[in-house]
Amino acid sequence: MIKFFLKIGISALLIWWLVSQSNIDRLVENLASVNLWGLALAVLVLGCLPAAQSLRWSLIVRSIGKTLRFKDAFLNVLIGIFFNQTLPSSI
């Protein structure tokens, strides 16, 4: 339990230090100068990745003689992405 609270404390300290060292005005200036076409392309590519992963899982499952519908594979990939982003890495 001590290890858990130590991790949270160190993470909170590092986040506080990072925020205290950042220049908010420069951050706003940089965000205002973002290339919108590049951002749109990045969002499009990022949105296509779960579909590609779902197709890959469907093919893997098919190679062992089972069937996995694309819809089911897609939902499982999204669930996996969610838990990879929300759970701590030590679980």
Side-chain angles (χ1 to χ4, degrees):
M1 196 63 152
I2 292 174
K3 185 177 177 182
F4 173 75
F5 286 115
L6 185 62
K7 284 181 182 182
I8 291 205
I10 290 173
S11 296
L13 183 65
L14 288 173
I15 290 171
W16 171 81
W17 179 78
L18 183 64
V19 169
S20 71
Q21 299 297 316
S22 63
N23 183 346
I24 301 299
D25 294 331
R26 186 167 179 205
L27 176 65
V28 170
E29 180 182 313
N30 286 340
L31 288 175
S33 67
V34 168
N35 179 352
L36 294 180
W37 287 108
L39 180 63
L41 180 62
V43 168
L44 178 68
V45 169
L46 189 60
C48 290
L49 287 176
Q53 291 171 329
S54 302
L55 179 62
R56 181 179 64 191
W57 274 113
S58 295
L59 293 173
I60 290 170
V61 170
R62 187 180 305 154
S63 73
I64 61 171
K66 303 290 182 183
T67 58
L68 177 64
R69 294 183 316 169
F70 181 81
K71 177 185 171 187
D72 295 331
F74 190 74
L75 290 174
N76 286 326
V77 165
L78 291 180
I79 290 168
I81 290 170
F82 171 77
F83 282 111
N84 279 334
Q85 294 298 313
T86 57
L87 290 178
S89 61
S90 60
I91 290 181

